[in-house]
Coordinates of all heavy atoms in Angstrom, one line a residue:
E30 N -5.5 -31.9 -11.1 CA -5.0 -31.4 -9.9 C -3.6 -32.1 -9.4 O -2.7 -31.4 -8.9 CB -6.0 -31.8 -8.8 CG -7.4 -31.0 -8.9 CD -8.4 -31.5 -7.9 OE1 -8.0 -32.4 -6.9 OE2 -9.5 -31.2 -8.0
I32 N -1.4 -33.0 -11.4 CA -0.3 -32.5 -12.4 C 0.0 -31.0 -11.8 O 1.2 -30.7 -11.7 CB -0.8 -32.3 -13.8 CG1 -0.9 -33.7 -14.4 CG2 0.1 -31.4 -14.6 CD1 -1.7 -33.6 -15.7
A35 N 2.3 -31.6 -8.8 CA 3.5 -32.0 -9.2 C 4.3 -30.8 -9.8 O 5.5 -30.6 -9.5 CB 3.5 -33.1 -10.3
V39 N 8.4 -28.2 -8.8 CA 9.6 -28.0 -9.8 C 10.0 -26.6 -9.5 O 9.2 -25.7 -9.6 CB 9.2 -28.3 -11.1 CG1 10.3 -27.9 -12.2 CG2 8.6 -29.7 -11.3
Y40 N 11.3 -26.4 -9.3 CA 11.9 -25.0 -9.1 C 12.9 -24.7 -10.0 O 13.6 -25.6 -10.5 CB 12.5 -24.9 -7.6 CG 11.3 -24.9 -6.5 CD1 10.8 -26.1 -6.2 CD2 11.0 -23.7 -6.0 CE1 9.8 -26.1 -5.2 CE2 10.0 -23.7 -5.0 CZ 9.5 -24.8 -4.6 OH 8.5 -24.8 -3.7
P45 N 13.7 -18.9 -6.0 CA 13.1 -19.8 -4.9 C 11.6 -19.9 -5.0 O 10.9 -20.0 -4.0 CB 13.6 -19.2 -3.6 CG 13.6 -17.6 -4.0 CD 14.0 -17.6 -5.4
I48 N 7.7 -23.3 -10.6 CA 7.5 -22.7 -11.9 C 6.0 -22.5 -12.1 O 5.7 -21.6 -12.9 CB 8.0 -23.9 -13.0 CG1 7.3 -25.2 -12.9 CG2 9.5 -23.9 -12.9 CD1 7.6 -26.1 -14.0
L51 N 5.4 -19.3 -10.6 CA 6.0 -18.1 -11.4 C 5.3 -17.8 -12.8 O 5.6 -16.8 -13.4 CB 7.5 -18.7 -11.8 CG 8.6 -18.5 -10.7 CD1 9.9 -19.2 -11.3 CD2 8.9 -17.0 -10.6
G61 N -7.8 -38.3 -24.3 CA -8.5 -39.4 -23.9 C -7.7 -40.6 -23.4 O -8.2 -41.5 -22.6
I67 N 2.1 -30.2 -22.2 CA 2.4 -29.0 -21.4 C 3.1 -28.0 -22.3 O 4.1 -28.3 -22.7 CB 3.1 -29.3 -20.1 CG1 2.2 -30.3 -19.3 CG2 3.4 -28.0 -19.3 CD1 3.0 -30.7 -17.9
P74 N 14.9 -16.6 -22.5 CA 15.0 -17.6 -23.4 C 16.3 -18.4 -23.3 O 16.4 -19.5 -23.8 CB 15.1 -16.9 -24.7 CG 14.4 -15.7 -24.4 CD 14.6 -15.3 -23.1
A79 N 17.4 -24.8 -18.4 CA 16.3 -25.2 -19.2 C 16.1 -26.7 -19.3 O 15.1 -27.3 -19.1 CB 16.2 -24.6 -20.5
D80 N 17.0 -27.5 -19.7 CA 17.1 -28.9 -20.0 C 16.7 -29.5 -18.7 O 15.9 -30.6 -18.6 CB 18.4 -29.4 -20.5 CG 18.6 -29.0 -21.8 OD1 17.7 -28.5 -22.6 OD2 19.8 -29.1 -22.3
K89 N 8.2 -35.8 -13.4 CA 7.1 -35.8 -12.4 C 5.7 -36.0 -12.7 O 4.9 -36.6 -12.1 CB 7.4 -34.5 -11.6 CG 8.5 -34.4 -10.6 CD 8.7 -33.2 -9.9 CE 10.0 -33.3 -9.0 NZ 10.4 -32.1 -8.3
S92 N 5.1 -39.7 -13.6 CA 5.0 -40.5 -12.3 C 3.6 -40.5 -11.7 O 3.4 -41.3 -10.8 CB 6.1 -40.0 -11.4 OG 5.7 -38.7 -10.7
V96 N -1.2 -41.4 -15.8 CA -0.6 -40.5 -16.9 C 0.0 -41.6 -17.7 O 1.1 -42.2 -17.3 CB 0.3 -39.3 -16.4 CG1 1.1 -38.7 -17.7 CG2 -0.7 -38.3 -15.7
K97 N -0.1 -41.5 -19.1 CA 0.6 -42.4 -20.0 C 2.0 -41.8 -20.4 O 3.0 -42.4 -20.5 CB -0.2 -42.7 -21.1 CG 0.2 -43.7 -22.1 CD -0.7 -44.1 -23.2 CE -0.2 -45.1 -24.2 NZ -1.2 -45.4 -25.2
N102 N 6.3 -28.8 -24.3 CA 6.5 -28.0 -25.3 C 7.1 -26.6 -24.9 O 6.4 -25.8 -24.1 CB 5.2 -27.7 -26.2 CG 4.6 -29.0 -26.6 OD1 5.3 -29.8 -27.3 ND2 3.3 -29.2 -26.3
D110 N 6.4 -12.4 -18.5 CA 6.8 -11.1 -17.6 C 6.2 -11.4 -16.2 O 5.4 -12.2 -15.8 CB 6.3 -9.9 -18.2 CG 4.8 -9.6 -18.1 OD1 4.1 -10.1 -17.1 OD2 4.1 -9.1 -19.2
K111 N 6.6 -10.5 -15.3 CA 6.4 -10.8 -13.9 C 4.9 -10.7 -13.5 O 4.5 -11.2 -12.5 CB 7.2 -9.8 -13.0 CG 6.7 -8.3 -13.2 CD 7.7 -7.5 -12.2 CE 7.3 -6.1 -12.1 NZ 7.1 -4.9 -12.6
E117 N 1.1 -14.8 -4.4 CA 2.0 -15.4 -3.5 C 3.3 -15.4 -4.0 O 4.4 -14.9 -3.1 CB 1.6 -17.0 -3.3 CG 2.3 -17.6 -2.3 CD 1.8 -19.0 -2.1 OE1 0.9 -19.2 -1.4 OE2 2.5 -20.0 -2.8
K119 N 4.6 -13.2 -6.1 CA 5.1 -11.8 -6.0 C 5.5 -11.3 -4.6 O 6.4 -10.6 -4.4 CB 4.0 -10.9 -6.6 CG 3.9 -11.0 -8.2 CD 2.7 -10.1 -8.6 CE 2.4 -10.4 -10.1 NZ 1.3 -9.7 -10.4

Side-chain angles (χ1 to χ4, degrees):
E30 287 175 14
I32 291 169
V39 178
Y40 288 81
I48 62 168
L51 275 174
I67 296 174
D80 291 340
K89 287 182 176 176
S92 74
V96 170
K97 187 174 180 181
N102 305 308
D110 70 40
K111 66 180 187 307
E117 183 179 278
K119 290 177 185 175

